[in-house]
Amino acid sequence: MEKSLLHPFAFIYQLIQWLLSNLFSPNPPKPGAKLGRPKIAIIGAGLTGVSAASHCVGHGFDVQIFEAGPRKQLGGIWSRVNNTSGLQIHSIMYRFHPSVTWSGGYPNRQQIVSQITELWKRYGLESKTEFDTHVEKVYKDEKGCWIINDPSNGRFDGIIAAVGTCGDAKMPHIPGMDKFKGEIYHSSDLTGKEAKGKNMIIIGGGASAVEALEFAAHEAAEKTYILARSDKWIIPRNPVVDILLSFNIFGGETPFSWIPETMLRKFFYRDLQDLAPSDKGLFTGTPMVNSDVMDKIREGKAEWLRGDIKGFTEEGVKFNLRSKGVPAGGPGREKIIKGDIVVMATGFDRPTLNFLPEDSFVDPYSPPNWYLQTFPPQHVSVCANNCTYVNAIGSVGNWHIGIYTRILLMFLSDPLTRPQTFWMERWIDMTRFVKRFAPTGAFDFFTYLELIWWFTFCIAINPFRWKWAFFVFFGIGHALPKSVVNAEDRIRNGLGVKMGSNYDERCRENFGDGESL
């Protein structure tokens, strides 16, 4: 704190984090506290799973986390990347829970895993996590309760799928790899490797390439060649710029998209405008967030080459160098890119959601074309949090993880707030219509402001959800909706009105009512 006082901006940032933590962090349950229903099964113990679980137990709901990997994989993808990896966006946009407190703007991998682990322990989730438990299927029993694999794992009122978007490392085979005399690694497997004074070839031009470039800079590689199949938008590592870009409420290309694109070319790319895409707009895919790559290119420490990989040779990679505007696989000039190390920045396989019921994947309402992008229309008690998106510009902040979690809790706790399948599908159809001119699918790209609009519409469209607004958006004021729901139940019971059979009521018949919000 003393150091922060000497740096005004750092002090203000710490003050903001302190205020957010004290205002919006739910209180951890006391040791041995009996948590109530609905009970939630959370699949995945990464950043999203731990955050969602802490929101649930902080508001008095019981959870059980199922993680396919061992204890060392707590933290998801962050537990498996390099020690030199760190945030590309500013940490103010990566506060995955209100209580998270960063000491700096761009924490590294160890600091991120440490924050996830501290959150996991703070909310007493150690006893509620089953490691080495691969979820193969989820289904409902005769009482309407969710079963994870088999009844021995318990019964649940709702499910949060938090498997993320990065699974096993993707390591494609390229002809001639066995001939290469140097070393070949995946971009996530660079910890402990030496690159000082060596030439490094990075195959791929996405986020994994940034990870490899960080390693190259840290290890003082002599020169780095980035071999990219297509051009990709790169935006500066600047929180103001990144937040402003996420304010595009239309969630896609608009007639005004040329304005930020022109400004990026003029003030960020500057003398490297040839690297900026000419065949796709900024709001069509997730951009790379990195300023170092431009600096390295200007310093002569790195080269960004556009073209196609033809194969490996003993000395490096045979590469078909294409001019700007020439499509992938088009004509170019072949050359050998010589290197000592080749890093396959080819990303990760996407984790499967096949464990969910088969009717969750019926076209035209299969992921990412779900209600609010996360709720399968056939199963309002399932929330696939942070694992159905394709491309986006925005934050990985606690706000949407918490909101999605609390929307699920609202649906489970209050029958009058639950959308029917018909209306969930109509919302999907409406969003498709609104974004019918987008170059991508309606749910293949979104911005953070568009996401906020989705949340606002969800609450505003149903008057019975209004009482939940402060709870859903900020995690506060849950006593009022609880008392109103209880009053509504008493009135209905007094009038002899039944809500009809539903998964929540049937599951409670099996286990007893318990306490609910």
Side-chain angles (χ1 to χ4, degrees):
M1 196 67 174
E2 291 181 7
K3 291 183 179 179
S4 296
L5 289 172
L6 298 176
H7 301 279
F9 289 110
F11 174 72
I12 292 171
Y13 183 36
Q14 294 300 319
L15 181 61
I16 290 172
Q17 293 188 96
W18 180 84
L19 289 171
L20 291 173
S21 178
N22 282 275
L23 287 173
F24 302 120
S25 293
N27 293 323
K30 295 180 180 178
K34 182 177 175 59
L35 298 176
R37 305 193 68 85
K39 185 176 182 180
I40 314 298
I42 297 178
I43 302 171
L47 178 150
T48 300
V50 171
S51 176
S54 65
H55 281 290
C56 289
V57 300
H59 294 300
F61 299 101
D62 203 2
V63 301
Q64 187 70 43
I65 302 175
F66 298 93
E67 167 56 44
R71 165 64 179 82
K72 66 179 182 180
Q73 288 190 11
L74 178 70
I77 186 63
W78 284 112
S79 69
R80 296 183 280 123
V81 295
N82 306 305
N83 289 337
T84 55
S85 299
L87 283 187
Q88 294 305 307
I89 59 174
H90 194 278
S91 59
I92 198 169
M93 303 172 70
Y94 209 81
R95 300 188 68 260
F96 53 88
H97 188 271
S99 65
V100 167
T101 302
W102 301 113
S103 58
Y106 298 94
N108 59 31
R109 174 250 183 195
Q110 293 99 322
Q111 292 169 316
I112 295 168
V113 172
S114 176
Q115 286 287 339
I116 296 171
T117 304
E118 287 178 19
L119 183 67
W120 182 66
K121 293 180 178 179
R122 188 182 310 130
Y123 282 84
L125 299 174
E126 295 167 275
S127 62
K128 298 181 180 297
T129 305
E130 294 286 341
F131 291 104
D132 298 306
T133 304
H134 183 74
V135 175
E136 297 178 352
K137 62 179 178 177
V138 300
Y139 63 95
K140 288 183 179 179
D141 66 7
E142 68 280 358
K143 294 289 187 178
C145 300
W146 286 106
I147 304 297
I148 308 298
N149 290 338
D150 61 69
S152 65
N153 288 315
R155 290 172 167 81
F156 303 89
D157 302 287
I159 293 173
I160 294 177
V163 297
T165 59
C166 297
D168 295 332
K170 193 185 296 182
M171 193 76 167
H173 176 76
I174 298 175
M177 292 178 85
D178 55 328
K179 299 178 182 178
F180 181 55
K181 292 183 178 180
E183 301 159 299
I184 303 175
Y185 305 109
H186 188 267
S187 58
S188 63
D189 187 31
L190 297 175
T191 298
K193 309 300 188 295
E194 294 184 2
K196 186 174 182 179
K198 297 181 180 180
N199 290 332
M200 179 183 292
I201 301 171
I202 300 174
I203 295 180
S208 295
V210 173
E211 186 177 12
L213 192 64
E214 288 175 332
F215 170 80
H218 183 270
E219 292 296 314
E222 179 66 24
K223 188 163 186 177
T224 304
Y225 299 91
I226 304 169
L227 310 185
R229 184 173 175 81
S230 60
D231 293 326
K232 190 176 183 71
W233 279 101
I234 306 173
I235 61 177
R237 213 180 186 194
N238 183 301
V240 176
V241 173
D242 300 345
I243 290 172
L244 286 175
L245 290 175
S246 71
F247 278 1
N248 174 3
I249 195 171
F250 300 102
E253 287 291 291
T254 72
F256 305 102
S257 296
W258 63 272
I259 298 175
E261 291 169 4
T262 300
M263 294 183 71
L264 283 172
R265 287 189 177 97
K266 185 173 181 61
F267 298 107
F268 180 59
Y269 282 88
R270 303 197 310 270
D271 55 318
L272 299 174
Q273 291 190 31
D274 180 67
L275 300 182
S278 58
D279 58 342
K280 54 188 174 185
L282 176 60
F283 298 102
T284 59
T286 305
M288 289 175 60
V289 185
N290 191 273
S291 301
D292 293 341
V293 63
M294 299 298 195
D295 296 335
K296 297 297 181 186
I297 292 172
R298 291 188 178 101
E299 294 169 2
K301 289 287 187 179
E303 278 191 53
W304 185 289
L305 304 176
R306 179 193 307 110
D308 308 291
I309 306 296
K310 307 301 291 183
F312 277 74
T313 69
E314 291 185 354
E315 297 180 307
V317 175
K318 183 187 291 185
F319 190 68
N320 180 47
L321 189 64
R322 288 184 274 107
S323 298
K324 189 178 183 67
V326 178
R333 178 173 60 87
E334 286 192 7
K335 63 180 300 186
I336 305 298
I337 309 298
K338 296 182 179 181
D340 306 296
I341 300 174
V342 173
V343 177
M344 304 295 290
T346 44
F348 301 85
D349 288 323
R350 195 179 191 99
T352 182
L353 289 170
N354 282 351
F355 53 81
L356 294 177
E358 190 173 342
D359 58 1
S360 301
F361 304 94
V362 178
D363 286 331
Y365 305 108
S366 57
N369 303 295
W370 283 350
Y371 183 62
L372 303 180
Q373 204 183 48
T374 61
F375 292 90
Q378 298 295 331
H379 299 286
V380 71
S381 54
V382 173
C383 176
N385 204 337
N386 262 5
C387 56
T388 55
Y389 73 90
V390 181
N391 287 290
I393 292 180
S395 165
V396 191
N398 66 78
W399 216 43
H400 74 271
I401 297 175
I403 288 177
Y404 274 129
T405 301
R406 292 188 292 268
I407 287 176
L408 175 66
L409 296 178
M410 174 183 71
F411 289 162
L412 293 175
S413 302
D414 188 350
L416 294 175
T417 65
R418 296 173 196 149
Q420 297 177 354
T421 296
F422 175 84
W423 291 114
M424 295 170 83
E425 291 177 348
R426 298 297 75 75
W427 179 87
I428 297 168
D429 294 338
M430 179 193 71
T431 304
R432 283 174 169 155
F433 177 79
V434 171
K435 299 182 70 173
R436 65 191 182 280
F437 297 118
T440 63
F443 296 95
D444 292 345
F445 179 87
F446 67 90
T447 62
Y448 214 68
L449 193 58
E450 182 187 15
L451 192 64
I452 294 172
W453 152 245
W454 292 353
F455 294 148
T456 303
F457 182 89
C458 172
I459 297 299
I461 196 66
N462 184 339
F464 291 105
R465 298 174 189 164
W466 295 354
K467 60 183 176 289
W468 292 91
F470 279 100
F471 173 73
V472 166
F473 281 103
F474 307 109
I476 58 178
H478 65 273
L480 175 61
K482 175 183 177 180
S483 61
V484 173
V485 169
N486 290 337
E488 291 170 346
D489 288 341
R490 287 194 295 270
I491 293 172
R492 286 195 298 269
N493 292 335
L495 296 174
V497 177
K498 293 185 177 296
M499 290 301 297
S501 181
N502 61 74
Y503 59 85
D504 199 17
E505 292 167 351
R506 293 197 302 265
C507 202
R508 284 179 185 164
E509 288 174 6
N510 196 32
F511 291 102
D513 288 338
E515 182 184 354
S516 65
L517 184 63

